[in-house]
Amino acid sequence: MHNLKIISGTAHAELAKSICEYLKLTVCDAYVGRFSEGEIRVKINENVRGKDVFVIQPTCSPPNENLMELLVIIDALKRASSARITAVIPYFGYARQDRKDQPRVPITAKLVANLLTTAGANRILTVDLHAGQIQGFFDIPVDHLFAIGVFHDYFARLKLKDIVVVSPDVGSIKMARAYAKRIGAGLAIIDKRRESPEKTEAMHLLGEVDGKNAIIVDDIIATGGSLIEAVGALKKYKAKSVRAAISHGVLSGPAIERVEKCKDLQELVITDSIPLEDHKKHPRIKVLSLAPLLGEAIRRIHHEESVSSLFD
Ligand code: R5P
């Protein structure tokens, strides 16, 4: 794999290192820092001419810094004559503004897609996009992986019986249905109303949860409002236990405080698509690594092998 190079921005150096461990490679030597006024400064210290380069950078918080860093790294690689540049974006930020649902609002997911393509990205590798249709915002190949396999392996080890998979809103029904099918469980759906970016309300619950071990599945936990409302509704309808499997732990604003207060939530399982800062670590938050999944996808893309079996 001497033609394969893995470069990391500063968003998630630990994940880049774990991916490299999987691939038995070292992270490419590159300086990614700042000029004194804050502009991003990048210098690739290895020859990348003609190489197949993968840049690991989730566009998590601080999203503007991390996105701009990714664009600057891609520009440096393009000007250094890399043969192919793949932006590996385990968490694709700015994705929730994916349509004009009110007058005079932007579609930031499309804007970010345009920026990445203009910078010089030749393909995108990402995990659990907020909406699958975002793939179509790009005119370059997008390999969209799912964390379902990683979660499934974890929950299978718990050997839970009488499981019901719960979608905390209509947007996550497809994801919840896939989980329910994979583990042979029932499905329940919560009718959620969003009152503001921080506040949601669970209106109704469809499905049978009485006496069951519920697993809430979602793509993002941001402020935790949706999750806490869902836990409340499940307990009200007498679920025996409540756990959550959420791909991206954005965990912003009051999220950790809400998790701490919500003792009915037995466990919140997230992936390492976003680094979990020390002050967000919590005994009921479990982090599963995406490194083997992303590493295997990178290996297959590099060798022009099919990645479709990783989509299951
Ligand atoms: C919404 O459509 C998403 O799937 C998540 O449910 C939402 O982003 C979570 O946000 P919060 O944690 O702030 O309720």
Side-chain angles (χ1 to χ4, degrees):
M1 293 203 277
H2 67 282
N3 260 337
L4 170 61
K5 293 273 182 196
I6 307 286
I7 291 194
S8 178
T10 62
H12 205 341
E14 203 182 320
L15 178 61
K17 200 166 152 249
S18 306
I19 291 172
C20 281
E21 273 162 20
Y22 178 88
L23 292 166
K24 300 190 173 50
L25 290 173
T26 49
V27 181
C28 178
D29 183 12
Y31 172 82
V32 182
R34 299 291 182 273
F35 287 102
S36 59
E37 76 282 59
E39 286 184 7
I40 291 158
R41 183 157 78 96
V42 167
K43 170 93 173 72
I44 315 290
N45 294 321
E46 290 180 29
N47 176 25
V48 289
R49 186 176 292 272
K51 306 287 188 210
D52 189 15
V53 189
F54 292 78
V55 189
I56 317 290
Q57 180 86 332
T59 49
C60 52
S61 182
N64 304 332
E65 286 289 320
N66 288 335
L67 173 62
M68 193 64 199
E69 227 181 52
L70 176 58
L71 298 172
V72 175
I73 295 170
I74 292 171
D75 186 73
L77 291 167
K78 179 179 69 179
R79 291 172 198 285
S81 307
S82 298
R84 181 172 66 175
I85 304 164
T86 302
V88 181
I89 312 176
Y91 169 67
F92 188 92
Y94 275 118
R96 279 173 287 176
Q97 298 174 77
D98 59 357
R99 63 196 182 284
K100 263 193 86 169
D101 56 355
Q102 300 166 50
R104 299 175 297 282
V105 294
I107 303 182
T108 55
K110 172 62 181 160
L111 174 63
V112 171
N114 287 348
L115 290 169
L116 287 163
T117 314
T118 303
N122 302 113
R123 67 187 303 136
I124 306 291
L125 174 60
T126 189
V127 182
D128 282 333
L129 283 167
H130 177 60
Q133 304 88 293
I134 293 171
Q135 289 170 78
F137 293 0
F138 289 90
D139 282 327
I140 54 174
V142 177
D143 288 310
H144 181 204
L145 305 177
F146 304 104
I148 184 171
V150 178
F151 284 119
H152 176 258
D153 293 350
Y154 177 76
F155 284 108
R157 281 197 294 272
L158 297 187
K159 296 191 175 19
L160 294 170
K161 299 243 176 324
D162 297 324
I163 299 177
V164 61
V165 175
V166 182
S167 173
D169 55 32
V170 285
S172 296
I173 293 178
K174 208 170 156 221
M175 190 179 189
R177 197 182 289 133
Y179 277 68
K181 193 171 160 207
R182 170 79 77 101
I183 57 181
L187 178 68
I189 298 160
I190 290 173
D191 171 25
K192 171 180 100 177
R193 303 281 153 85
R194 184 169 284 284
E195 291 167 20
S196 73
E198 293 79 32
K199 192 163 172 18
T200 61
E201 196 182 345
M203 306 296 285
H204 307 101
L205 191 142
L206 310 171
E208 189 50 63
V209 301
D210 192 346
K212 306 228 181 224
N213 292 305
I215 303 176
I216 300 167
V217 303
D218 207 347
D219 61 326
I220 295 172
I221 170 166
T223 64
S226 309
L227 176 63
I228 299 316
E229 279 292 317
V231 175
L234 288 165
K235 285 315 273 187
K236 184 171 148 198
Y237 289 97
K238 302 194 173 59
K240 186 165 145 199
S241 72
V242 184
R243 292 174 174 79
I246 304 187
S247 311
H248 308 296
V250 172
L251 296 167
S252 52
I256 296 298
E257 203 183 310
R258 283 174 167 171
V259 168
E260 168 57 28
K261 277 193 192 147
C262 184
K263 307 287 186 212
D264 285 333
L265 176 65
Q266 205 153 322
E267 192 173 29
L268 165 61
V269 191
I270 56 175
T271 76
D272 61 354
S273 64
I274 295 173
L276 187 65
E277 296 148 281
D278 283 344
H279 69 276
K280 291 183 181 171
K281 290 189 175 147
H282 188 279
R284 279 183 283 122
I285 298 181
K286 166 93 188 159
V287 183
L288 306 178
S289 184
L290 292 176
L293 177 69
L294 288 167
E296 183 58 21
I298 290 171
R299 192 192 67 73
R300 292 186 191 196
I301 292 167
H302 177 65
H303 291 299
E304 309 287 356
E305 288 173 13
S306 168
V307 294
S308 58
S309 65
L310 299 177
F311 296 162
D312 293 342

